[in-house]
Amino acid sequence: MIGLALHDGDQVQAECMWLAGRRHTVNLAPELAMMLRRVQVNLRDLTAIAVTTGPGSYTGLRIGMAFAKGLSIAHNLPLVGVSTLDIIAIAQPKSKLPLLAVIEIGRQRIAAVWYKWGRAGWKAQSEPENIAWSDIIGGLESKTYVCGEIDGERRTDLQDNELVELADPAMCVRRPAFLAELGRRQLGKKKLPGPDELIPYYLGVVDGKVD
């Protein structure tokens, strides 16, 4: 999945997302140009760029990061990095339950972060963790709200677990509008790294080792 959004500080002016397959590099620039034309915005009108830092797929993160850095450097724009799992969490409704946001990374393993609801919304309680599905499910001690990118077979298994309240599929999509919103919130609140300092956050298994 790949997506773009345009936020003017008050509202989301445009958003698009699609399954790109192996055509991320081919699709990204033309789709951005088309989106800007639709809302009659020029590249020189942009004031900042937000990009997903991961965890996620190696190819998707690398291409997205390279594209965002190129725009940032070429137009002298601040570049904001946002956690993939924060994008999933922000879309979820208020709940007293602990929230577990996940992304499947293969080999029956997930990237996962626990969240708790606070005054500012969902707040991460941990760093992203590479963990087996079996360890997550076997370790639940109380009812937990689970959201994120989950395949059909796993979703069926989770629906049968009495300790899991499962988010609907539409609530589990990494919407670029939420990426833009989280990026907007970070602007001016802390010193941002330069484009050369921002790197993708990979959390996968390679030859039995976590990278």
Side-chain angles (χ1 to χ4, degrees):
M1 184 67 71
I2 189 170
L4 297 162
L6 182 66
H7 198 308
D8 68 1
D10 295 315
Q11 63 182 354
V12 176
Q13 292 193 343
E15 180 184 39
C16 61
M17 52 193 305
W18 65 98
L19 289 172
R22 296 180 179 276
R23 296 178 59 83
H24 291 71
T25 305
V26 175
N27 290 167
L28 200 48
E31 287 291 340
L32 174 61
M34 185 181 298
M35 184 180 73
L36 293 178
R37 283 199 301 271
R38 285 180 180 137
V39 293
Q40 298 182 342
V41 171
N42 195 287
L43 275 173
R44 63 175 174 270
D45 298 323
L46 301 182
T47 57
I49 304 290
V51 64
T52 301
T53 56
S57 71
Y58 175 80
T59 301
L61 288 176
R62 179 174 55 84
I63 293 172
M65 185 70 73
F67 186 69
K69 285 186 176 184
L71 288 175
S72 171
I73 294 170
H75 298 276
N76 194 28
L77 297 171
L79 181 61
V80 184
V82 178
S83 164
T84 306
L85 292 165
D86 285 353
I87 297 169
I88 294 172
I90 191 180
Q92 309 310 316
K94 178 181 178 180
S95 176
K96 293 182 179 180
L97 298 177
L99 182 150
L100 179 66
V102 304
I103 295 175
E104 293 187 325
I105 55 178
R107 302 186 186 182
Q108 301 296 311
R109 301 187 71 85
I110 56 173
V113 172
W114 292 91
Y115 293 81
K116 182 179 180 180
W117 185 267
R119 291 183 179 179
W122 291 108
K123 177 71 174 178
Q125 303 299 297
S126 63
E127 292 295 320
E129 182 179 8
N130 181 321
I131 191 168
W133 265 118
S134 57
D135 291 336
I136 284 287
I137 301 305
L140 293 179
E141 298 180 353
S142 60
K143 193 158 188 177
T144 300
Y145 183 88
V146 180
C147 59
E149 297 180 356
I150 305 166
D151 66 25
E153 181 179 351
R154 182 63 61 183
R155 176 169 285 275
T156 299
D157 293 341
L158 292 173
Q159 287 172 337
D160 294 334
N161 191 313
E162 62 181 12
L163 292 180
V164 173
E165 181 176 323
L166 190 60
D168 293 335
M171 301 292 289
C172 294
V173 178
R174 285 181 282 169
R175 285 186 53 195
F178 288 119
L179 164 62
E181 173 62 27
L182 287 170
R184 184 193 66 82
R185 293 181 187 180
Q186 289 188 40
L187 286 173
K189 289 189 175 182
K190 62 181 181 179
K191 183 179 179 180
L192 299 174
D196 58 329
E197 300 174 280
L198 195 64
I199 59 174
Y201 186 88
Y202 301 117
L203 192 65
V205 178
V206 179
D207 296 328
K209 297 181 180 180
V210 178
D211 68 354

